[in-house]
Amino acid sequence: MLNVHFAGMLANSPKGSCHFLDLSGLRAPGVTFWSAWDGADLLGCGALKQLDDGHGEIKSMRTSEQHLRRGTGAALVSHILGVARARGYKRLSLETGSGPAFEAAHALYRQFGFTETGPFGNYQEDPFSRFMSRVL
């Protein structure tokens, strides 16, 4: 699934505008990674990266093609929001692509109260990136 995620990002944004975490990034301190399963079927994945004591970032969100629009993404975002609140974060942010391939993701995040914002952390303004955030 991660290889599909990486390929999807690179197919829809220039390499320098792709900010996904590779395997070493997902194993880094301050990053927690989850996968969602139905028996032996991998439904999706997502991660939470701690930016500072009060700010987290959603990373590596992906739903398998076979399970799109069945609630997997919403379940993962809901879980990540709960963990972020339990950790005492005051804000949760994310960076995603800006093109048509990312519209479903934008809609999902808006459902959970995320609104567009400017770059955060080490990100810089990029026409291929959309930054979203919400107060917890």
Side-chain angles (χ1 to χ4, degrees):
M1 169 144 318
L2 289 174
N3 286 333
V4 169
H5 180 61
F6 303 157
M9 297 299 99
L10 291 167
N12 291 289
S13 299
K15 185 175 183 179
S17 295
C18 291
H19 304 286
F20 56 80
L21 294 177
D22 61 12
L23 288 176
S24 65
L26 290 169
R27 291 182 180 131
V31 176
T32 307
F33 178 79
W34 295 274
S35 55
W37 295 82
D38 182 10
D41 292 335
L42 177 58
L43 306 178
C45 62
L48 175 59
K49 178 180 179 181
Q50 182 174 345
L51 299 176
D52 62 39
D53 288 343
H55 193 183
E57 179 183 5
I58 294 178
K59 299 292 293 183
S60 300
M61 282 288 300
R62 189 66 169 204
T63 300
S64 71
E65 292 290 324
Q66 304 91 320
H67 299 287
L68 289 173
R69 312 227 187 328
R70 295 185 183 171
T72 299
L76 284 164
V77 172
S78 181
H79 179 76
I80 292 169
L81 280 164
V83 171
R85 285 185 187 104
R87 291 181 181 177
Y89 294 169
K90 304 296 182 216
R91 176 169 295 282
L92 191 59
S93 300
L94 62 98
E95 179 277 337
T96 189
S98 62
F102 299 95
E103 287 302 319
H106 302 159
L108 172 67
Y109 296 127
R110 281 192 299 271
Q111 287 177 2
F112 282 90
F114 287 85
T115 58
E116 291 192 37
T117 186
F120 59 91
N122 293 326
Y123 292 109
Q124 296 187 14
E125 197 63 50
D126 180 341
F128 295 96
S129 289
R130 180 168 294 175
F131 304 98
M132 301 179 87
S133 187
R134 64 158 290 166
V135 173
L136 299 178

